[in-house]
């Protein structure tokens, strides 16, 4: 017996992947905004704006944690279905 979730059913890790994607996109937008003064010949942004660009890496890490959590849950479900 295989346990397959419904398409509209939330699985473990889905929220982390979604949140990581949002954080990554925020970091990508911050990176574009921070890099713009280099090409537009205007005053550069202060250093804290560059720190916001690190959200890309943080978002990637959050999404990776969600993928690992989802894989772990699928592995546990597969072991449980083999045991019964």
């Amino acid at each position: 017996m295989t346990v397959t979730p419904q398409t509209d059913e939330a699985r473990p890790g889905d929220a982390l992947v979604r949140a990581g994607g949002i954080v990554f996109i925020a970091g990508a937008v911050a990176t574009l905004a921070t890099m713009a003064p280099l090409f537009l010949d205007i005053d550069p942004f202060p250093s804290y704006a560059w720190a916001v660009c690190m959200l890309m890496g943080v978002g990637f890490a959050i999404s990776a944690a969600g993928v690992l959590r989802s894989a772990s849950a699928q592995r546990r479900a597969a072991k449980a279905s083999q045991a019964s």
Side-chain angles (χ1 to χ4, degrees):
M1 180 175 145
T2 306
V3 178
T4 56
Q6 299 296 326
T7 56
D8 59 346
E9 186 178 325
R11 293 173 288 187
D14 283 355
L16 283 174
V17 172
R18 188 171 293 119
I22 292 169
V23 172
F24 182 88
I25 290 172
V29 169
T31 300
L32 290 174
T34 306
M35 296 298 285
L38 298 174
F39 300 107
L40 299 176
D41 196 31
I42 57 177
D43 292 333
F45 289 110
S47 59
Y48 65 83
W50 291 93
V52 176
C53 297
M54 298 298 158
L55 288 178
M56 286 178 68
V58 172
F60 184 78
I62 293 171
S63 292
V67 168
L68 291 175
R69 183 173 179 188
S70 177
S72 175
Q74 287 178 356
R75 200 173 326 123
R76 280 192 306 270
K79 282 184 182 180
S81 69
Q82 287 178 355
S84 58

